[in-house]
Amino acid sequence: MRKHNLPLVTVLFLLLLAACGPETVSDARQETSQPAIYPDYIGVTIPVNIAPLNFSMADEKALLVDAVVTDSHGHSISSQGEEAVDFDLDDWHALLGQNPGDSLTVTVSAKYDDGWHTYRPFTLYVSADSIDYGLCYRLIAPGHEVWSKMGIYERDLTTFDERALIENTQFEGCVNCHSFNRGNPSRMSLHIRGKHGATLLTNDDGSVTAYNTKTPATLGLSVYPYWHPSGRYIAYSTNTTRQTFHSAHPNRIEVFDEASDLQVYDVETNELLLSPLVKQDSVYETFPVFSADGRSLYFCAAQALPLNGRGQGGGLDSIRYNLCRIDFDPQTGRFGSQIDVIVDAAAQKKSVSFPRPSYDGRFLCYTLSDYGQFSIWHHEADLYLLDLSDEGRIRPLTQANSPDTESFHNWSTNSRWLVLSSRRDDGLYTRPYFCHVDTNGVATKAFMLPQRNPCRFYRERFLSFNVPDFITGPTRFDSRQAVRAINDEQRKDFGVRP
């Protein structure tokens, strides 16, 4: 037998590697309950291309966390960590790629002061429906009057990579109201508030133009953008917004409009298209969105308060918005001659906000709260689904909703996934969750945006995720050119079609 004499340094190195390897789960107490993990991924349905669902024990007292993920063919991956499990990215995607439309079994063990505990396994369901490349959102501290550092960021949903598109450390002001044309990363509308206020529109070649969207014929600046499927038009509202603080109320703050109207911007002719039907002084119109075929404009509308009721807190809880619709002709840019009430929420003493049609034309998802239109501060707010092909059938998204706020949301481009803003985690910070919606409108349990170490990430990042929107690829946005346009006093004015 040939004898191998390894150098002492090599032996010590191999011993060190062995010592750093995973600890064997031994003499574990077998628990009858499933593990309490953070985030709660138990029983969720996930896209076949999503980033690894790393997690910690919810009590944060475990010395080690161990997880083994197995499919029905005997393939498995595992991870063990002191704070959280951290699955290898390639191994995770390989396992999911082998199991579209199937399920995975996750066995969790946790080591505490009294030894190992192994919990009853739980299931992950792998949908064959993929999710879009990424998510674009604003990160902002949940303040009320002033802003500090904020920005628009892009996250690759297949990995944990995040990058800033633009931050307000590069200029003085606030960034908000970002919107893409059906996830197209080259067509974006972005609003800047403050000293250097402007609306930025990106062009197909990546260039940026800064616009002044206030005209003598409109109430104010154009906000809350939504693109027409053709890319030729953008629907905006213009709002005179105020906020007030509740003296004793769990919702804390009420953000409300003193006036609001709608308009559509023609990108090709640089003109605003107006209609007196959506510019009524006696009605607050807001949150316009085009239908999937581009031939209708959905929006929220409420009867305006009397002047003496505005801004004083009195009567604000009586403002209730209905979901309405008006025809729109993409060929001529003309509005229809009547407004239809699609969901009469006011009759139920409820209020609709943030309507979002699925891109396949089948559904429309909206937020329903007790009153008002700024549902992000309403803990009772939930998501509802309107079936546009089933005589207007409406159902709550029961599986995706929670006891806390569900508010802003958007569809993936294949109309199978919703990203939703929720405060279910701690009641204070808004975080993005995802749920699958099948062709019958049945939603699954929502799961939080994966992070490499979710407990540390969400506990130490004191920022809310605001207005999440899907993108189909990396955003073509030149931040240096955008900052130059913002800091430049020159603005291109919106015209108004006679």
Side-chain angles (χ1 to χ4, degrees):
M1 181 180 294
R2 185 177 179 182
K3 186 176 181 180
H4 295 275
N5 294 314
L6 296 176
L8 179 59
V9 173
T10 304
V11 173
L12 292 175
F13 179 71
L14 293 174
L15 290 174
L16 181 62
L17 283 179
C20 292
E23 182 177 320
T24 301
V25 177
S26 59
D27 301 323
R29 175 178 172 179
Q30 300 298 311
E31 304 288 351
T32 58
S33 61
Q34 291 180 321
I37 60 173
Y38 178 86
D40 178 11
Y41 290 142
I42 295 176
V44 299
T45 298
I46 59 176
V48 68
N49 58 333
I50 195 69
L53 268 60
N54 297 337
F55 59 84
S56 307
M57 298 304 292
D59 59 14
E60 301 182 35
K61 296 178 181 179
L63 305 176
L64 286 173
V65 185
D66 184 276
V68 180
V69 185
T70 308
D71 67 10
S72 59
H73 311 291
H75 305 123
S76 67
I77 61 173
S78 63
S79 178
Q80 187 181 105
E82 294 182 357
E83 288 187 338
V85 294
D86 184 6
F87 296 106
D88 179 83
L89 187 66
D90 293 334
D91 291 346
W92 171 268
H93 282 301
L95 188 64
L96 265 60
Q98 295 166 356
N99 291 277
D102 208 337
S103 60
L104 304 174
T105 300
V106 184
T107 303
V108 176
S109 301
K111 184 180 182 181
Y112 291 92
D113 289 336
D114 63 349
W116 283 99
H117 297 245
T118 297
Y119 298 88
R120 183 162 59 90
F122 66 88
T123 302
L124 295 175
Y125 301 95
V126 182
S127 171
D129 295 320
S130 61
I131 204 164
D132 288 323
Y133 156 82
L135 200 66
C136 188
Y137 42 79
R138 179 171 70 158
L139 288 177
I140 181 172
H144 314 309
E145 291 290 346
V146 297
W147 57 77
S148 55
K149 179 183 176 181
M150 68 166 70
I152 306 296
Y153 299 83
E154 173 188 297
R155 162 69 189 269
D156 182 345
L157 291 177
T158 66
T159 70
F160 303 108
D161 295 339
E162 179 187 77
R163 72 182 181 101
L165 300 185
I166 188 169
E167 295 176 317
N168 69 340
T169 53
Q170 302 163 280
F171 60 93
E172 183 181 347
C174 164
V175 291
N176 67 341
C177 290
H178 58 279
S179 176
F180 297 87
N181 181 12
R182 295 192 174 206
N184 182 347
S186 66
R187 299 305 302 273
M188 181 184 184
S189 174
L190 174 64
H191 188 56
I192 309 296
R193 286 191 297 178
K195 169 178 188 180
H196 300 285
T199 291
L200 305 183
L201 292 181
T202 59
N203 306 302
D204 287 329
D205 62 1
S207 62
V208 177
T209 306
Y211 289 86
N212 169 32
T213 61
K214 172 70 175 73
T215 75
T218 53
L219 184 64
L221 297 171
S222 297
V223 295
Y224 299 142
Y226 193 92
W227 291 76
H228 191 271
S230 67
R232 176 172 177 174
Y233 304 102
I234 309 173
Y236 289 102
S237 70
T238 178
N239 307 62
T240 302
T241 303
R242 298 287 184 268
Q243 67 180 6
T244 187
F245 292 80
H246 294 291
S247 58
H249 196 285
N251 288 339
R252 295 187 180 87
I253 300 170
E254 197 58 47
V255 180
F256 60 95
D257 287 336
E258 287 187 335
S260 55
D261 295 325
L262 304 184
Q263 56 261 317
V264 170
Y265 175 62
D266 188 331
V267 176
E268 292 184 4
T269 64
N270 187 39
E271 292 177 317
L272 285 178
L273 316 179
L274 309 177
S275 166
L277 290 180
V278 291
K279 281 177 64 13
Q280 301 182 55
D281 291 341
S282 60
V283 178
Y284 302 146
E285 303 101 345
T286 191
F287 301 138
V289 292
F290 286 108
S291 60
D293 62 7
R295 304 195 65 82
S296 298
L297 188 69
Y298 291 98
F299 60 96
C300 298
Q303 291 299 310
L305 280 183
L307 184 62
N308 61 7
R310 298 180 187 176
Q312 305 302 317
L316 292 181
D317 59 358
S318 67
I319 302 177
R320 294 189 171 93
Y321 288 78
N322 291 328
L323 177 64
C324 300
R325 186 191 67 83
I326 188 171
D327 287 341
F328 181 79
D329 186 345
Q331 299 301 318
T332 63
R334 294 185 179 275
F335 294 84
S337 58
Q338 70 177 40
I339 292 175
D340 299 317
V341 176
I342 305 302
V343 176
D344 189 353
Q348 310 166 42
K349 296 191 180 301
K350 293 290 184 180
S351 188
V352 172
S353 58
F354 302 130
R356 282 295 184 274
S358 60
Y359 298 124
D360 63 2
R362 176 67 187 277
F363 302 109
L364 185 146
C365 186
Y366 60 88
T367 304
L368 196 69
S369 55
D370 286 346
Y371 60 92
Q373 49 83 24
F374 209 75
S375 51
I376 194 65
W377 288 106
H378 283 244
H379 292 281
E380 81 282 358
D382 277 330
L383 298 185
Y384 280 71
L385 198 68
L386 169 65
D387 192 332
L388 297 174
S389 66
D390 189 16
E391 298 181 353
R393 181 187 176 191
I394 298 171
R395 73 190 82 176
L397 285 181
T398 304
Q399 291 297 105
N401 288 326
S402 75
D404 214 311
T405 305
E406 271 70 59
S407 187
F408 191 87
H409 48 276
N410 261 319
W411 292 91
S412 63
T413 55
N414 62 5
S415 299
R416 295 281 69 87
W417 297 96
L418 270 175
V419 58
L420 52 119
S421 302
S422 180
R423 287 191 169 167
R424 70 185 68 187
D425 190 31
D426 58 14
L428 296 174
Y429 290 91
T430 306
R431 285 160 184 155
Y433 287 74
F434 303 90
C435 72
H436 184 265
V437 180
D438 69 15
T439 54
N440 295 315
V442 178
T444 60
K445 177 180 175 179
F447 66 94
M448 189 188 286
L449 174 65
Q451 304 293 346
R452 186 171 295 281
N453 186 330
C455 186
R456 182 178 293 273
F457 182 94
Y458 288 115
R459 294 293 186 266
E460 295 181 358
R461 196 177 211 184
F462 301 114
L463 297 169
S464 282
F465 290 74
N466 186 244
V467 192
D469 195 3
F470 286 105
I471 46 177
T472 58
T475 306
R476 292 181 59 188
F477 186 82
D478 188 331
S479 62
R480 290 176 294 181
Q481 184 183 148
V483 170
R484 285 197 297 269
I486 293 169
N487 289 324
D488 191 332
E489 295 182 0
Q490 296 298 316
R491 299 286 183 265
K492 185 175 181 179
D493 291 329
F494 269 10
V496 179
R497 181 173 298 179

